Structures are given as structure tokens and as C-alpha cells.
Amino acid sequence: MPMSTESLAVAAGRRPWRTLAAWVAALVVAGVLASSLLGDTLTTESEFTNQPESSRAAAVVEERFPERPDGTELVVVTAPVATADPAYRAYVADLQAAIAGLGPDVVRHAGSFLTGDGPVSADGRTVLLPVALTASGHDQVLDDAELLGATVAAVTPPAGFESLVAGPATLENEFVRIAEEDLARGESIGLVVALVVLIGVFGAVVAGVVPIVLAVMAIAIALGMAALVGQVFALSFFIANIVTMIGLAVGIDYSLFIVSRYREERAAGREKLAAIGRAGATASRAVLFSGLTVVVALFGMLLLPDTGFRSIGMGAILVVVVAVAASLTLLPAVLGLLGDRIDAIRVGRRRRRGAGRFWDRVAGAVMRRPVVSLVLAAGLLLAAALPFFAMDTGFSGVSTLPDEVASKQAFVILDREFSGGLGAPVEVVVPGDVTPELMAAVDALRAGLAGDSAFGPSAVELAPAGDAALVTVPLAGDVAGESAIDAVRRLRAELVPAAFAGVGAEVLVGGDTAVNADILAQQARYTPIVFLFVLGLSFALLTVAFRSLVVPAKAIVMNLLSVGAAYGLVVLFFQRGTGPELFKDVAGWLGFGQVEAIEAFLPLFLFTVLFGLSMDYHVFLLSRIRERFDQTGDNAGSVAYGLRTTGKLITGAAAIMAAVFAGFAAGELVAMQQVGFGLAVAVVLDATIVRSVLVPASMKLLGTRNWYLPAWLEWLPRVHVEGEPVPAATSEQEPVLVSGRS
């Protein structure tokens, strides 16, 4: 190829300052774009793009009830005295005055028991002050809810009094705040551990710092690109965190493999530019194909008609593309500038031999008993995956927040004193002329709701133009809980059809809980589509890369085993009522929360991210095996060589990825804990059981059949993922992965 990875590496290594200047210019431009544009493009709102029932209901309510507020929050006041006490009344009056002081641009209406508008608990010591916000638009409602909370907190209560703000917007603000803190903590932990592991792998500080610097540059440039994308598409605020998380993982790993190959080639006696070229022809090409497999997997997220999934997938794709580009061009330029100074500031003792002996012993032990090894390893992963079939998916409600969070404390009071659900009612909207027949059906629906204990007292409202009726009804308990979602499903499937039978009206059920029900239905519908898309394209790409039908088929099966095991372990550690209590005890010791359902987005998110990242190790390991096999034709020897030469690298890369992901598992939000734990566990399983047992055992059993390609596929291009074959090194020349060049 006229523009191969080798020629790119050599060109960058020959003109390092020019290459470095181009990347610094890209970094500056990206910094300007991110600082000036990115903030305005991010939103906490995730929207459907295929208009399910909840979306259509929201559109009708917005169009035909224009005066209806987008957000209603509740100020919960509790005291040791009854509401008749003068101190109680004076304090509530002060709160109302402060809330009213926010002005009509923020508060449309605020009521309380003083004006006969606001419930009082049975014991007379807790009252609710409903506050209707004026803002229209999701993000502005969140801002105004935050302002409301700060205003209430600024009013000093008498001794023993407490005021808390509850409601959908306040709750979302709390989730966002804690998520950002968790993600920032996870990023810090990942960077520190990555630096330590890199220095340990390379035995030199400079070699350890270079991959981190390149990963950070890739993250910064990807954020600038995301700012441009955000001018056309709405992006979730989580895109910045997913870019950082994936950027650290793949950016460091890709640099790790290329720098190691460069040092290996220098240790074998090649001069600097030749070593850069050889690393470009081998490790860089493996990085390119590895990055392609990651991008293919991440494209699965773009298939879902959900802006949240699409923005996260887009952010991850952008940072992988930039990380690959930096590995192919910027890293060779840095190596061209540093040369052997990449080994500067050595740490620890240098070792000439022995770094690969452990992996030699592992490969030998496995290949002596391949059937037993294969059955035991696959059986272990299958056993870990079994709890997946007991997985219930749902959403993190307020009950999963830490106990010290004010909005959770307010929810506890609401649930105890007012049966909960007052902040986010279900909305049943019936567009059309309000006729006596339609109102009779509405009355029948309200009677059905009254007979269902999952619903509170309903209310009906008519559109100003008389062209729609709206029934609002609160749900008991956590509106994001499984029982609430089941209630909405029952409302749609049973109560609405029974009440409106023969009326001929369109009835739409909306509200936050209905949105959650539609999300679950959407993911159930698109999961098989995403799986088939990712698996099919990955198989095709790996077939071209390795010119084999067997290798990609095995890689896919092994990756599915590790992903399935990660699913099962997430269920064992997080979902109540599944598996031995030992797992729950360990989860409690680790600080993990126990929930009724695993986060709805987790299965698809884990699959797309893990399938791509796990392929990294397969591509690097199998490319070294294939390289050796092309040189010698010795299948068993090639497997041992591949494990020996990549063992330390893959172990280090997996340790870095696991540390980055484990940092997120150390957070407070159960959703972040599940994400971090699932990613970390799968990476560890893939780098240990899959890499050290399943791969060598299967390679031994199949022998040369591993590289089977039928004659009718001989037209496929010969890519040579690890570069063009070169004569095998002698035992004296064979490079080993040690600290330093010797």
C-alpha cells in the first residue's frame, strides 16, 4: 500500500517536528472549540428519535396545554411542632417570600397550607409547598430547580425545623452532580494507576509518561470534534466522561504496544528509523485493525433511536479514531525525537532474560492438556454467565441515592407521610373534541385508577381550546421503580382499553415513568439488531485481517463468553435475590449498592464497549501468533511465542484498563458502580482466562486448521496485520519484553 502504516511511521519519524507541530495545532484548535462551543451543546436530556407513545403524549400536552408548567418541585417542611404553631407559620411565610423573590421568570406559582394550596401530613408536622417553575425546556428547568434549592437553603430555619426540595428536576440534578464526582474520581484513580503500571512495564519514567500524554491529547482533540458534532446533534453531558474513560483505556494501550515493539526492535539491533518503521509495519498495523474492531462495535450504539446512546457512542468513536491516528503518526514522531531517550530515568533493575518464562510455562501447561484446559475455562465462564438469565433491568430511582442526599431524605418523607409519587405523575392525554362520550370514558378511567392501589387520586384538566383532556395521576413509591413501570404497562394494556372501548379516541400515556417503560421496550426490540450488526461486521473484519474463518469465529465466541460472565457477575453482586449471599456480603464490603433491577442501559452498553475493547487483546495476541506461524509454520511454537512476547504487555494493558474502570466502580451511584465493575471484570477475565487458557488450548486442538480459509475466499486482500513476514529470529536474537533495550 502506498500509504501503509509503515510508511506513515517512517515519514513521521523522519520529520518529527513537522508532525508534532501539526498535532499541537490540532490540539489548540480543539481546545478553542471545546471551550467555546461544547458547553452549550451538552444536555442531561435523552430523547427518542422514533416517537414512542410517551413522546407523542408529551408533544400533545406541550401543544394543547401551553400554560402547563414544564416542572413542578415540592418544598418539604418538617418540624417538631404542628402547623398551627406561630413559629411554623412564620417560617413558611419566610420561605414563600424567598421563593416569590425569584420572580415570575423562575416561579410561575407557589402554594402552601397558608393559602389552602399544599398538603399537610396526618400528624400536622409536615407540609408541602408546591412550586410550579416558569421555565420551558429541560435544561432550563434543571437550572431553575437548582436555583430554587439554593434559595430554600438560604432561609435559616428555627431549631428542629428542616426544609428539603424534592421533584424530578431536583432529583436529576442530584444524580448529575454525584455522577460527575464519581467520574472525576475514577479518572484520577485511573491516571495514577496507569502511570505506575506503565513505569513498571517499561522500567523507565519517560516511556511510562509518553502513552499518558498521547492519550490526554487524543481526549482533548476528540472533545473539540464533539463540540463540532454538537452543532448538528444534541449530545449528552456524559459524552465528556465517556471520551475520557475510553480515551485513557485505548490511548494508553495503543501507545504501550507500539512503544514496546519499537524498544524490542532496537534491542534486536535495528537503527532508530528502521525500528520505527518495523514497529509501524507490525504493532501500528495491529493498532489500526484493533481500532477498527472497536469502532465497529461502538457503531452498534448509533443504531438505537435514542440521543443518549448515540451521543455516548459518537464520543467513544471519536476518541478511538483520534487515538489510532495519534498512534500511527504522533507516536512515531515522538520516538523519532526521543530515540533511545525513551528509556530515560530508569526504575528498577534491568533484566536480560526471563520475562517470558512464566508465559512459556502457562502455554506449555495448557497445550499439554488442551481438552481439560478448554473445558474447565469455558465451564467457569459459562457458570459465571448463568445469573444473566435472572437479570431484571430497570432504572436507578431515588432510593439508590446515598442516604445523606437531601432529595432522598425528602423522598423518604414523601413516601412515609404522603404515599410518595407526588412529584412525577402519569399523564394520560386524549386529543380530540371533548364530547360527553369522551368525558364518560375519562370518568371510567378515573374509576379504574381509583381501584388500583398503585395509583393515587387522579385529576382531570381540559385544554383551553377544548381539543384535549388530560388525566394526571400520581404513583405510589419510587416512580422509577419496577412496580411503577408495571403499573404504567397495566394502565396501557388494561385500564385504558377497558375505559375507552368503543369511543374511538386516541389515548396516549406519558410522564417520566411511561418514558422509562418505552426505554425498556425499545432496548428489548433493538438488542438483537445491535448484536447481529456488531458480530457480523466484526467477523468480516477479522476474516480479512487474519485470512481465516476459524480465528474470527473463535474470537467472537470467546468475547461473548467474557461479556456473558461479566453480565452474570454484575447480577450476582448488585441484584437482590440472586445467587449466594456471599456475593452480596462481598458487594457490601466493597460499598456496592443492592438494587431490584440492573440499569436498563447496561447490557447494550457493556456489550458494545467490551466487545470492542476485548478484541484489542485478541488482535495483538493473534497477530503475533500469525506472524510467527508465517515465519515457521509451527503452530504450537507460534502460540507459545505469541504468549511470551505479549504476556507482559497485555497484562499491563489489562491492569490499566481495569484500574480506569474500577475507579468508576468506587463511586456512590449504583449505576456507575455497575458500569465500572462490569467493564473491569470483563477486561480481567479476557486478559487472564481467555488469553492464557482458551486461546492456547483452542489453537493447540485445531492446529493448522486455525488458519483455514476456503478457496472461494482467496480473493480477499492479504493484509498481514503484523506486517509482512520476515525470517524468524534465532534463539540468541529473539527479543524478550524486559526493562531497557538489552
Side-chain angles (χ1 to χ4, degrees):
M1 292 182 292
M3 189 55 71
S4 65
T5 55
E6 180 178 9
S7 63
L8 278 175
V10 171
R14 185 176 286 125
R15 300 176 181 84
W17 287 112
R18 191 178 302 177
T19 304
L20 185 61
W23 276 95
V24 170
L27 180 65
V28 171
V29 172
V32 172
L33 291 173
S35 60
S36 60
L37 299 177
L38 186 60
D40 294 335
T41 67
L42 302 183
T43 177
T44 59
E45 187 174 22
S46 180
E47 297 180 341
F48 296 106
T49 60
N50 61 342
Q51 295 298 305
E53 184 174 341
S54 58
S55 295
R56 301 198 306 274
V60 172
V61 171
E62 182 179 0
E63 176 190 355
R64 306 194 186 187
F65 296 84
E67 297 301 316
R68 186 175 178 79
D70 279 4
T72 298
E73 302 297 290
L74 297 170
V75 179
V76 184
V77 182
T78 62
V81 297
T83 56
D85 190 286
Y88 205 135
R89 303 180 74 84
Y91 175 56
V92 171
D94 290 343
L95 280 175
Q96 282 193 286
I99 294 170
L102 293 173
D105 290 339
V106 177
V107 175
R108 175 179 298 184
H109 170 76
S112 79
F113 76 100
L114 298 177
T115 58
D117 182 13
V120 179
S121 65
D123 63 4
R125 296 183 180 182
T126 303
V127 300
L128 302 182
L129 314 181
V131 180
L133 301 176
T134 306
S136 61
H138 178 266
D139 292 341
Q140 188 58 52
V141 169
L142 295 185
D143 291 342
D144 287 353
E146 187 174 4
L147 181 60
L148 172 65
T151 301
V152 170
V155 180
T156 304
F161 283 67
E162 185 178 28
S163 57
L164 305 167
V165 181
T170 299
L171 178 61
E172 186 169 342
N173 281 332
E174 293 282 17
F175 271 108
V176 170
R177 177 185 62 80
I178 299 173
E180 289 178 333
E181 293 173 356
D182 288 352
L183 291 164
R185 185 186 305 112
E187 292 161 7
S188 301
I189 294 173
L191 276 174
V192 172
V193 175
L195 180 59
V196 172
V197 172
L198 286 168
I199 292 175
V201 169
F202 289 125
V205 173
V206 173
V209 170
V210 165
I212 292 179
V213 172
L214 265 69
V216 171
M217 286 190 68
I219 291 168
I221 294 172
L223 289 175
M225 296 169 67
L228 289 178
V229 174
Q231 305 308 302
V232 182
F233 305 103
L235 297 176
S236 166
F237 87 101
F238 276 118
I239 192 173
N241 303 109
I242 200 71
V243 164
T244 302
M245 181 172 68
I246 300 299
L248 285 176
V250 301
I252 292 173
D253 277 8
Y254 295 163
S255 298
L256 170 63
F257 284 107
I258 294 173
V259 170
S260 296
R261 186 62 187 245
Y262 166 78
R263 296 167 82 236
E264 182 181 314
E265 297 299 332
R266 288 290 288 144
R270 284 190 171 87
E271 61 93 15
K272 182 178 71 174
L273 200 58
I276 291 173
R278 185 59 187 165
T282 55
S284 294
R285 195 174 297 195
V287 163
L288 176 60
F289 275 90
S290 175
L292 287 175
T293 60
V294 176
V295 168
V296 164
L298 292 172
F299 256 105
M301 278 198 258
L302 303 185
L303 298 180
L304 275 83
D306 182 285
T307 57
F309 262 106
R310 289 182 176 180
S311 59
I312 289 174
M314 179 59 67
I317 288 171
L318 289 176
V319 77
V320 171
V321 169
V322 177
V324 170
S327 299
L328 268 55
T329 56
L330 177 58
L331 185 54
V334 172
L335 293 174
L337 287 173
L338 292 176
D340 292 338
R341 291 191 299 275
I342 192 74
D343 291 327
I345 315 179
R346 295 185 181 277
V347 176
R349 297 176 58 189
R350 292 197 301 171
R351 295 170 295 162
R352 178 174 178 81
R353 293 283 177 181
R357 291 175 184 168
F358 170 78
W359 295 108
D360 273 334
R361 290 194 295 269
V362 169
V366 169
M367 288 192 288
R368 279 193 297 272
R369 299 175 180 84
V371 175
V372 174
S373 300
L374 187 68
V375 170
L376 289 178
L380 181 62
L381 293 177
L382 287 171
L386 284 177
F388 164 71
F389 296 101
M391 178 186 288
D392 292 323
T393 55
F395 300 89
S396 288
V398 63
S399 58
T400 65
L401 287 172
D403 291 339
E404 64 272 14
V405 174
S407 57
K408 180 174 183 178
Q409 297 170 8
F411 169 78
V412 171
I413 295 172
L414 284 172
D415 194 45
R416 183 182 65 239
E417 304 291 348
F418 302 97
S419 298
L422 296 175
V426 177
E427 298 177 341
V428 183
V429 61
V430 189
D433 293 336
V434 181
T435 62
E437 182 184 23
L438 186 143
M439 289 306 299
V442 168
D443 291 339
L445 174 62
R446 295 183 66 192
L449 292 169
D452 192 319
S453 61
F455 299 98
S458 63
V460 64
E461 182 180 351
L462 302 181
D467 57 354
L470 175 65
V471 177
T472 57
V473 55
L475 287 159
D478 191 343
V479 296
E482 186 176 355
S483 60
I485 294 173
D486 287 341
V488 168
R489 290 170 176 158
R490 190 164 59 252
L491 172 61
R492 287 173 167 174
E494 300 174 14
L495 298 180
V496 166
F500 286 84
V503 175
E506 180 186 28
V507 183
L508 302 172
V509 178
D512 291 350
T513 308
V515 169
N516 290 342
D518 287 339
I519 290 174
L520 291 175
Q522 169 188 275
Q523 292 186 7
R525 185 180 311 116
Y526 279 87
T527 292
I529 298 173
V530 172
F531 270 58
L532 289 174
F533 173 84
V534 172
L535 295 178
L537 280 186
S538 297
F539 183 85
L541 183 62
L542 292 175
T543 298
V544 173
F546 293 104
R547 291 185 61 79
S548 166
L549 293 181
V550 177
V551 166
K554 287 196 309 177
I556 287 174
V557 170
M558 292 177 189
N559 276 3
L560 288 177
L561 282 173
S562 62
V563 172
Y567 284 163
L569 291 173
V570 167
V571 172
L572 284 178
F573 277 86
F574 289 94
Q575 185 173 304
R576 292 193 188 103
T578 54
E581 285 301 315
L582 173 63
F583 290 95
K584 305 302 184 289
D585 293 340
V586 174
W589 179 75
L590 293 172
F592 295 161
Q594 300 296 298
V595 292
E596 299 296 333
I598 302 302
E599 284 298 311
F601 74 90
L602 196 74
L604 270 179
F605 176 82
L606 283 185
F607 170 74
T608 52
V609 173
L610 286 176
F611 195 85
L613 296 182
S614 296
M615 279 296 181
D616 276 355
Y617 305 138
H618 279 88
V619 169
F620 286 114
L621 173 57
L622 292 174
S623 61
R624 292 306 293 263
I625 294 174
R626 180 70 200 225
E627 178 186 20
R628 192 68 169 183
F629 182 79
D630 287 342
Q631 295 169 351
T632 66
D634 179 2
N635 182 70
S638 299
V639 174
Y641 175 83
L643 280 176
R644 179 171 66 252
T645 53
T646 63
K648 186 175 180 181
L649 290 182
I650 291 180
T651 301
I656 291 169
M657 275 198 187
V660 170
F661 299 144
F664 297 102
E668 294 184 293
L669 283 186
V670 177
M672 291 296 102
Q673 292 174 354
Q674 292 173 10
V675 169
F677 177 82
L679 290 172
V681 163
V683 166
V684 170
L685 291 174
D686 198 75
T688 53
I689 296 176
V690 173
R691 178 266 306 259
S692 62
V693 181
L694 288 181
V695 170
S698 62
M699 297 291 284
K700 172 66 174 179
L701 288 172
L702 292 172
T704 57
R705 290 186 293 275
N706 284 294
W707 312 110
Y708 169 72
L709 185 74
W712 57 272
L713 286 178
E714 284 295 332
W715 58 269
L716 291 175
R718 296 182 180 273
V719 176
H720 295 296
V721 174
E722 264 291 339
E724 299 295 330
V726 296
T730 65
S731 59
E732 291 77 21
Q733 295 172 320
E734 185 177 296
V736 293
L737 298 173
V738 296
S739 298
R741 289 180 53 234
S742 59

